Structure formats: C-alpha cells, structure tokens
Amino acid sequence: MAKRISQSSVNWAALSERVPSEQRANLTAFKAKSDAYLRRVLANPPEPPKINWAVYKQSVPIPGMVDNFQKQYEALKIPFPADTQTAQVDAQWAEVKKAIESFVQTANANITKYEKEISSVQALLPYDQMTMEDYRDAYPNEALDPLNKPTFWPHDPNDQPGNYKPEATQAAH
C-alpha cells in the first residue's frame, strides 16, 4: 500500500518569498489546486471498505459465483510503481547545492571586495571640495602631473607626441 498523505510537504511561505511578484497569481492558483487535491485525498479513507462476502453468498443464488469473485478480488494486487527517479533527483539536487554554495562564496567575496571599494571612496573628500592636489593624491594615475609627465592640451592620450602612429597617417593620405 502506498504511503498515506497527511499534509502538503511544500513550504508555501518560503516558496512565495522566492516567486517574482508578476508570478504570484500563478502560484496562488497552483496552491489552490494542490490544496483541493489534498482535501479530496483526505476525504477518502486510507483503506478501501471491506466487503461482507457472507451477505452476497446468501443473496446470490448461483453456487460458487461469490466464492469465485472473492478469490479473484483477494488475488488482485495493484502494484504501486517503484520509485526510480528519487535517486536521480537527489543527485541533481546535490549538484545544484554545490553550484549554489560556489555562487554564494563568489558573491560574498565580491561583496567584500566592493564594500572595501565603497569604504575607500567614501573616505575620499567630496569632489566639490577637492583641490587638484587632493585629486592627484587620490588618483595618481589619472591626475595631470606637469612636472614629471608633461602633456599637451587637451591632455588626451591620443593627442600626445609619444602616441604617433605612422600607419594612421599613411592610410589617411
């Protein structure tokens, strides 16, 4: 005999937290169908009703007919299908758990890195209060340094003398 269902094994509250807001109506409809099915299952007794064969033997005039039916009824066994998928689902779930844990570790590492970046940016002076010297101290690779690395206006790397590419001028002629 199959295991009797007593209650839904679905944690609907946890599931509804993970469902996007535009899919909540579908989840509600699915939950209603699931609850209706569970109520129909629980309305029936766990075992089929017992047949009183003695009453039938007294009321059926053909001898041996009820005994034949009783023997066939008791020999009838409806097999419950064997569970062949749970092991595969459990294996897939183990793989998914590993992927989730890996993602969480990567995400936590990224969060830590970005929190450090945020704290370093928050420690800087606001840009409207920064002088050119403060900007040079905060961003030494991006700031203009006229003494050590003089540049020509508009101070764009493509417009500097060391960035001359003869191929570009020959292709233009």
Side-chain angles (χ1 to χ4, degrees):
M1 183 98 217
K3 184 173 79 170
R4 177 72 176 177
I5 298 172
S6 62
Q7 65 181 5
S8 176
S9 62
V10 177
N11 185 351
W12 293 104
L15 187 60
S16 68
E17 290 174 0
R18 292 178 175 86
V19 171
S21 59
E22 62 271 3
Q23 294 292 324
R24 294 267 163 94
N26 293 339
L27 177 68
T28 304
F30 178 68
K31 183 182 182 315
K33 286 183 181 181
S34 176
D35 290 344
Y37 174 76
L38 183 62
R39 281 192 298 275
R40 284 196 320 263
V41 167
L42 294 177
N44 296 320
E47 297 291 328
K50 300 293 180 193
I51 297 175
N52 188 353
W53 296 106
V55 172
Y56 288 109
K57 286 180 185 177
Q58 291 175 354
S59 60
V60 175
I62 303 171
M65 180 183 239
V66 175
D67 292 331
N68 188 18
F69 282 156
Q70 182 179 2
K71 191 184 329 174
Q72 289 178 6
Y73 180 79
E74 290 171 355
L76 178 66
K77 298 293 180 204
I78 300 173
F80 192 73
D83 185 9
T84 59
Q85 300 300 314
T86 300
Q88 293 175 356
V89 170
D90 290 342
Q92 287 177 350
W93 179 241
E95 291 175 16
V96 168
K97 273 188 177 179
K98 289 178 187 176
I100 290 171
E101 289 170 4
S102 170
F103 174 78
V104 167
Q105 289 175 352
T106 304
N108 286 338
N110 287 340
I111 288 170
T112 305
K113 180 177 83 170
Y114 294 137
E115 283 176 346
K116 287 179 185 176
E117 287 181 21
I118 288 171
S119 64
S120 66
V121 169
Q122 287 176 341
L124 293 175
L125 282 172
Y127 286 117
D128 59 348
Q129 297 175 9
M130 229 183 236
T131 63
M132 292 299 284
E133 290 80 15
D134 293 330
Y135 184 81
R136 183 198 62 221
D137 292 342
Y139 303 103
N141 295 334
E142 297 175 14
L144 297 177
D145 187 4
L147 299 178
N148 298 324
K149 297 186 290 182
T151 58
F152 294 107
W153 186 89
H155 308 290
D156 185 15
N158 293 332
D159 295 328
Q160 300 310 310
N163 197 21
Y164 177 72
K165 293 187 175 74
E167 310 85 49
T169 51
Q170 289 176 358
H173 291 279

